[in-house]
Amino acid sequence: MMPKLIDKFNREINYLRLSVTEHCNYRCFYCRDDEHTPNCKRQDILSYENIEKIIQIFAELGITKVRLTGGEPLLRRGIVKIAKLISRIDGIADVPLSTNAHLLEKFAKKLYQNGVNRVNISIDSLIHERFEKITRGGDLTEVIKGIDAAIQVGMSPIKINTVVMRGVNDDEIESMVDFAIIKGIDVRFIETMPIGSVGIEALEQHISEEDILAKINKHLDNKLISIDSSKTDGPAHNFKIKGTNSTVGIISAVSNHFCQTCNRVRLTAKGELILCLGQEDAISLKDAVCSDLTDDEIKNMILMQLTKNQRSTNLILLLIILATDKW
Ligand code: SAM
């Protein structure tokens, strides 16, 4: 029996974020530069067979959850086939999706039928013009159709993720909560991280968890009830909204980083394994599965990389240092 994926700080890794494409149909200003076009040709990206083989290997190393992400995962040709082949792999119990939902109306049913039971949807504004501005061309009407389709087919939970930015959309915290309650879904507010095109400016847009909660509590007349974090999955602090089917989550990645409980690694669309967002050191699992290495040799390669690689214990500090170029 192969050892599990455990890093130097004794953190067990059971969660893989699989980027199925680098392309995105939105250009959220805090995520991508306006002119950013991925330099990724079809032959560079993982094939269905590569994905199946790599996920099988990870499942044998203890990965149980594989999130489909991107870029925008619904742009990947064969996304339903990918969901199907991953969800059938022994040991993979959970295949959630992260999407901007622009194309979700078209795919919700097929994805649900092929193992995607739950979805996180990014939505940073409920005001059409503002949404279009933040996403640089996105269409809120399509996104809401996508959310409704996910509800209709029975995906659960459905979480809307809002990156909160001071002076950009912080006046919509209350309306996002109302929207979630009306739809019977969950909402999570995420602090802007100093990654992507926003860099260090993220810190100027920062709003604390305390301020977000104060706004919501005032709006809802103190109806938030804290949920014991041992009963939830992931880094959010979660609250039930009394008298509704909805929860509110706050992901304070900057003010209260959660590296100590990090259980995830990332696989890029080109098949590079990234053990920590703060590390550029990656190994190509595409090359490995296309070579004549045996599965056990590939597993050993992954385990060795984990031993060698410093997974950060304070990613945000590291990102700030990199972004300010002080060291
Ligand atoms: N296209 C998919 C989506 O919209 O969910 C998946 C990829 S997108 C990069 C994943 C998530 O990262 C989105 O919720 C997005 O808002 C978030 N994100 C991107 N840049 C961020 C930043 N600088 N700080 C916080 N969240 C960010």
Side-chain angles (χ1 to χ4, degrees):
M1 168 96 177
M2 268 281 169
K4 299 267 180 210
L5 291 170
I6 296 178
D7 74 10
K8 280 190 199 163
F9 299 99
N10 228 14
R11 293 172 294 192
E12 185 173 339
I13 292 149
N14 51 25
Y15 172 20
L16 177 76
R17 293 178 66 95
L18 171 66
S19 172
V20 288
T21 177
E22 288 182 3
H23 291 271
C24 192
N25 42 1
Y26 285 5
R27 292 270 175 282
C28 300
F29 74 86
Y30 55 82
C31 183
R32 291 191 176 216
D33 294 332
D34 202 9
E35 65 280 2
H36 176 93
T37 317
N39 167 27
C40 194
K41 302 186 195 75
R42 180 156 325 153
Q43 69 268 23
D44 294 338
I45 62 170
L46 292 171
S47 64
Y48 304 131
E49 294 75 20
N50 295 159
I51 291 177
E52 188 167 27
K53 176 111 186 242
I54 293 174
I55 304 298
Q56 249 158 16
I57 287 173
F58 273 114
E60 287 164 27
L61 285 169
I63 293 284
T64 56
K65 166 171 160 185
V66 179
R67 176 175 297 280
L68 303 174
T69 181
E72 172 45 44
L74 301 186
L75 289 180
R76 170 75 193 252
R77 191 181 293 210
I79 183 65
V80 173
K81 182 170 172 178
I82 292 172
K84 183 175 181 174
L85 61 86
I86 293 176
S87 60
R88 286 185 170 181
I89 292 173
D90 267 355
I92 301 299
D94 194 11
V95 187
L97 168 76
S98 283
T99 175
N100 59 34
H102 185 93
L103 295 169
L104 191 56
E105 187 187 24
K106 177 174 167 202
F107 287 106
K109 190 168 178 194
K110 282 259 174 259
L111 285 169
Y112 184 66
Q113 289 167 339
N114 286 284
V116 178
N117 299 325
R118 61 194 189 95
V119 62
N120 289 355
I121 295 169
S122 309
I123 175 169
D124 296 331
S125 176
L126 292 167
I127 301 167
H128 286 263
E129 305 75 56
R130 186 184 280 178
F131 182 86
E132 193 183 335
K133 220 168 157 187
I134 294 174
T135 54
R136 290 190 284 217
D139 184 347
L140 182 59
T141 307
E142 291 306 311
V143 172
I144 293 177
K145 282 193 213 160
I147 294 173
D148 288 338
I151 296 170
Q152 178 91 38
V153 301
M155 287 188 182
S156 176
I158 298 169
K159 295 177 188 165
I160 52 173
N161 283 342
T162 302
V163 177
V164 193
M165 296 160 280
R166 189 177 295 282
V168 176
N169 63 353
D170 55 325
D171 56 342
E172 290 193 65
I173 293 174
E174 296 89 341
S175 42
M176 280 291 174
V177 171
D178 291 342
F179 177 79
I181 295 172
I182 291 166
K183 298 281 180 193
I185 61 181
D186 300 328
V187 58
R188 301 193 310 176
F189 296 103
I190 304 173
E191 288 180 353
T192 325
M193 292 173 68
I195 51 172
S197 53
V198 73
I200 207 73
E201 281 164 41
L203 305 179
E204 287 158 25
Q205 297 170 341
H206 178 253
I207 302 177
S208 72
E209 173 166 349
E210 213 182 345
D211 286 354
I212 297 173
L213 286 175
K215 272 182 182 248
I216 303 173
N217 267 321
K218 186 166 172 215
H219 179 62
L220 294 179
D221 232 353
N222 293 318
K223 281 199 191 133
L224 291 186
I225 306 159
S226 179
I227 303 172
D228 178 358
S229 57
S230 65
K231 298 201 171 92
T232 57
D233 169 36
H237 293 150
N238 292 296
F239 301 83
K240 174 100 195 109
I241 309 174
K242 213 192 292 176
T244 74
N245 290 326
S246 299
T247 64
V248 170
I250 318 273
I251 304 189
S252 30
V254 178
S255 53
N256 192 7
H257 76 87
F258 33 80
C259 291
Q260 67 282 3
T261 55
C262 179
N263 63 344
R264 63 191 65 183
V265 291
R266 293 175 159 77
L267 190 63
T268 69
K270 291 180 183 163
E272 286 161 338
L273 176 65
I274 296 178
L275 295 177
C276 175
L277 269 184
Q279 292 283 333
E280 283 179 2
D281 189 16
I283 48 170
S284 172
L285 293 184
K286 180 171 189 274
D287 289 350
V289 292
C290 294
S291 71
D292 51 12
L293 290 174
T294 65
D295 288 5
D296 279 350
E297 283 168 336
I298 297 173
K299 284 180 202 162
N300 278 326
M301 194 176 140
I302 296 170
L303 290 165
M304 267 175 58
Q305 180 72 357
L306 193 59
T307 328
K308 196 178 110 206
N309 189 289
Q310 282 282 7
R311 277 171 29 91
S312 179
T313 49
N314 191 338
L315 172 64
I316 296 301
L317 182 61
L318 183 64
L319 292 172
I320 291 170
I321 291 167
L322 291 175
T324 50
D325 216 9
K326 281 208 176 114
W327 286 359

